[in-house]
């Protein structure tokens, strides 16, 4: 993978896609299970917290212009501690990729292809993901620029198709189980936006002056998208119905009915679902391989990408069943994801400030502008 | 990329298209598509499952006006099996049919009355869990057994599933004599505590002998099954169902008759169309007070009286008031029945009360299903006669 300058719109689309890919997984169900009818409110409340976390990440990227998150770790924390932090980032993304892969393929198996082995589905998604990863983030960004409008159109069709089922009263009681539970949940669920850490890998490919704004645009778009999606989902499947559906998005598309003319069109969404899954895998493989490349200070990418895919494939089959998978996802990614995506960058920033470490030329876009 | 590699890739791609058909192959002729599923209470704890398996060749042939050998065959086969659970019974079906039973095309589920009177909770499991059931399947409760209803053959429609689906739509849209309830509606009402489950009732119905001089057994959708906490506790008649749908704000159209003021022996008929419903809630007292305001638009269909003419605006106002009074009386009677006889919030008033609660725990503790009987419900119906048909005046007696 050579050094490329990414298209800004494509970069935002890439980040938004990886942020909202979760809506095709059982994650809306998990949030509804924990937050009750306040699922949308919990995600709404994660906004300010994730902005705070994003401030740390973006400040770090701006302080070390032209460097990736792993390179920054090495520079700010020293070779050993920096490598440990870099490996933690990579491990987090490998785990995330494995869990997401299994969630995607388990959904396909239950809902679409009941007699296809999950390993075949996982391999199919990973092969496409690996191919796109090898092609590089620039290609992925261009692809994302097509994927996002496609997702928007299909979501619009879904909204129209199930409009008759929407009822805002289904979103009540507004605080779900309790106000305390809603507020407490909003902190760990900041992890819902943890994929924004991918920006740390894309940063060297983007114009330094626009990194902060691009990341913020993607974070806000992903955040608004997720809140609106949960509002929409909760208006059709009120609690406790949503907490009992493994794949609410799929159920929603199965209910699209516009008189007798438009029915049973979920096949369209299956394609989108598959491509979003493969795309998410491509982005995660790219992220992992880039981090390991930067930590090891080599120029190799493809061998790391292949290894990352194999590791994700292996992790995907650790849970014995769907229930264990959900449990692991909640216990790890949703509860502690924020620590990796926002906690580690803030910690690195703090150490860099204390040690007076800065980017190579000692200046940031702000100081240059000033 | 060298030309040889490109050719190899193209070949692989081509193979993928050809081989895709072999994977998970399910030929249509190997599958028995269940179009209507009936669930009855069997002996003891067992279930009696009746399935109607469509014969696509006959159904398609019939629609295209084809005849021949297919014309002699039944458009659907009806089988009944007994099993401890729904999935066991469906599995047993495959021991005497050479086709793989599939529920992906199921359009209607008919639930036997006796089964519903013993509670629906334990039978909902498979309906929700199985990927083959869609949430927009129509749900009906049979007066008697589902098997009895499913053995009747429609006269004007070859496919019994299409017949039942169309019947459900027409009964709801054109007559308001039966609600139209999907599995999604059924499950939501069961789970959210904002309303009680309701379902249309389908009954065997004997059509008077026609030209062929033989009475025919048909199915008729009329009335509503009422549930309380998932158990069927009563039913509403056709006219009560009209009123129920009006109060739920689901009325498309129905016909209402009122006595002619000058001669109570004669009647006037109006077609009413739902034009809006508002529910106001007052929670200042010890019990919630609901005010349901319904607006209907009317069109005069017929009047048996010869005079006076409907051309007089004052007379129109009078008829509107009479219609409104008539419907308000019916609505009050229905609310009384729902509150006193079965304590069943079939009106969905709980959905209007729930937003007043801040958290789910307090809403659950409130126990709305138990409190519905004591809630104050006031109904106001407003009727606006918009059209009087092609003439103002009836024919004069000669």
């Amino acid at each position: 993978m050579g050094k490329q300058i990414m298209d800004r719109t494509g970069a935002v689309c890439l980040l938004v896609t990886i942020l909202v890919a979760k809506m095709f997984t059982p994650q809306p169900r998990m949030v509804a299970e924990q937050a009750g009818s306040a699922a949308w409110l919990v995600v709404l409340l994660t906004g300010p917290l994730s902005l705070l976390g994003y401030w740390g990440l973006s400040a770090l990227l701006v302080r070390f212009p032209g460097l990736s998150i792993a390179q920054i770790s090495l520079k700010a924390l020293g070779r050993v501690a920096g490598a440990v932090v870099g490996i933690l980032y990579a491990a987090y993304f490998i785990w995330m990729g494995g869990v997401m892969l299994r969630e995607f393929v388990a959904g396909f198996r239950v809902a679409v292809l009941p007699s296809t082995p999950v390993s075949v589905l996982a391999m199919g998604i990973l092969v496409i993901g690996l191919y796109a990863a090898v092609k590089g983030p620039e290609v992925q960004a261009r692809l994302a620029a097509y994927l996002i409008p496609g997702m928007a159109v299909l979501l619009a069709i879904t909204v129209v198709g199930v409009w008759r089922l929407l009822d805002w009263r289904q979103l009540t009681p507004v605080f779900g189980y309790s106000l305390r539970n809603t507020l407490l949940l909003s902190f760990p669920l900041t992890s819902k936006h943890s994929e924004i850490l991918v920006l740390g890998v894309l940063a060297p490919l983007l114009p330094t002056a626009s990194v902060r704004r691009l990341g913020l645009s993607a974070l806000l778009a992903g955040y608004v998208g997720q809140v609106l999606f949960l509002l929409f989902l909760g208006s059709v499947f009120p609690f406790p119905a949503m907490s009992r559906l493994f794949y609410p998005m799929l159920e929603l598309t199965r209910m699209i009915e516009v008189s007798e003319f438009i029915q049973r069109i979920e096949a369209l969404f299956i394609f989108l679902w598959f491509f979003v899954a493969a795309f998410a895998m491509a982005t995660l493989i790219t992220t992992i391989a880039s981090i390991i490349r930067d930590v090891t200070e080599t120029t190799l990418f493809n061998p790391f990408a292949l290894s990352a895919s194999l590791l994700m494939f292996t992790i995907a089959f650790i849970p014995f069943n769907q229930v264990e998978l959900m449990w692991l996802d909640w216990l790890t990614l949703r509860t502690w994801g924020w620590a990796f995506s926002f906690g580690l960058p803030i910690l690195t920033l703090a150490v860099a400030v204390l040690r007076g470490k800065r980017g190579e030329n000692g200046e940031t876009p702000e100081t240059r502008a000033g | 990329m060298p030309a040889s590699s490109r050719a190899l890739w193209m070949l692989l791609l081509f193979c993928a298209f050809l081989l895709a058909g072999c994977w998970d192959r399910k030929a249509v002729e190997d599958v028995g598509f269940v179009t209507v599923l009936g669930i009855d209470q069997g002996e003891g704890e067992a279930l009696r499952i009746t399935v109607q398996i469509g014969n696509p060749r006959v159904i398609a042939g019939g629609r295209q006006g084809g005849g021949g050998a297919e014309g002699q065959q039944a458009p659907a086969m009806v089988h009944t099996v007994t099993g401890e659970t729904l999935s066991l019974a469906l599995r047993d079906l495959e021991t005497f049919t050479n086709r793989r039973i599939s529920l992906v095309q199921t359009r209607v589920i008919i639930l036997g009355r006796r089964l519903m009177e013993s509670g629906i909770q334990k039978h909902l499991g498979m309906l929700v869990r199985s990927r083959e059931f869609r949430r927009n399947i129509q749900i009906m409760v049979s007066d008697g057994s589902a098997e009895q209803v499913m053995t009747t053959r429609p006269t004007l429609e070859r496919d019994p599933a299409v017949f039942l689906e169309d019947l459900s739509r027409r009964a709801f849209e054109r007559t308001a004599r039966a609600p139209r309830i999907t599995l999604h509606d059924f499950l939501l009402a069961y789970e959210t505590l904002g309303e009680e489950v309701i379902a249309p009732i389908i009954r065997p119905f004997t059509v008077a002998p026609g030209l062929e001089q033989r009475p025919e057994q048909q199915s008729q959708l009329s009335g509503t099954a009422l549930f309380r906490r998932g158990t069927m506790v009563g039913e509403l008649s056709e006219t009560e169902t009209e009123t129920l749908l009006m109060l739920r704000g689901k009325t498309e159209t129905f016909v209402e008759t009122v006595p002619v003021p000058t001669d109570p022996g004669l009647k006037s008929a109006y077609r009413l169309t739902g034009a809006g419903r508002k529910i106001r809630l007052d929670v200042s007292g010890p019990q919630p007070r609901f005010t349901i305001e319904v607006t209907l638009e009317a069109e005069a269909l017929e009047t048996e009286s010869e005079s006076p003419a409907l051309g007089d605006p004052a007379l129109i106002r009078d008829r509107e008031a009479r219609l409104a009074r008539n419907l308000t009386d019916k609505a009050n009677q229905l609310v009384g029945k729902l509150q006193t006889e079965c304590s069943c919030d079939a009106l969905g008033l709980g959905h209007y009360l729930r937003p007043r609660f801040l958290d789910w725990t307090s809403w659950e503790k409130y126990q709305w299903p138990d409190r519905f009987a004591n809630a104050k419900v006031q109904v106001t119906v407003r009727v606006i006669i918009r059209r009087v048909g092609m003439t103002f005046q009836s024919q004069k007696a000669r």
Side-chain angles (χ1 to χ4, degrees), chain B residues 104-167:
Chain B
V104 293
Q105 294 290 341
T106 304
R107 293 169 176 198
V108 180
I109 296 177
I110 301 176
L111 303 162
R113 183 177 184 134
R114 198 156 71 86
L115 184 76
M116 292 299 94
E117 285 171 345
S118 63
I120 52 174
Q121 186 269 328
K122 60 182 178 179
H123 310 297
L124 289 176
M126 189 180 171
L127 303 184
V128 186
R129 207 174 288 270
S130 169
R131 75 181 188 94
E132 296 198 339
F133 288 109
R134 284 166 180 271
R135 288 173 81 99
N136 47 13
I137 292 175
Q138 299 296 314
I139 298 285
M140 298 171 186
V141 170
S142 63
D143 188 25
S145 72
E147 186 183 353
Q148 197 184 354
V149 170
M150 287 169 67
T151 44
T152 61
R153 276 181 67 175
T155 327
L156 296 176
E157 177 62 58
R158 291 183 76 85
D159 183 352
V162 172
F163 167 75
L164 286 173
E165 220 180 11
D166 286 349
L167 189 67

Side-chain angles (χ1 to χ4, degrees), chain B residues 326-344:
Chain B
N326 204 34
L327 290 165
T328 307
D329 289 346
K330 282 185 175 180
N332 286 329
Q333 279 171 21
L334 174 70
V335 171
K337 179 175 178 173
L338 291 175
Q339 288 192 309
T340 54
E341 283 184 27
C342 52
S343 185
C344 153

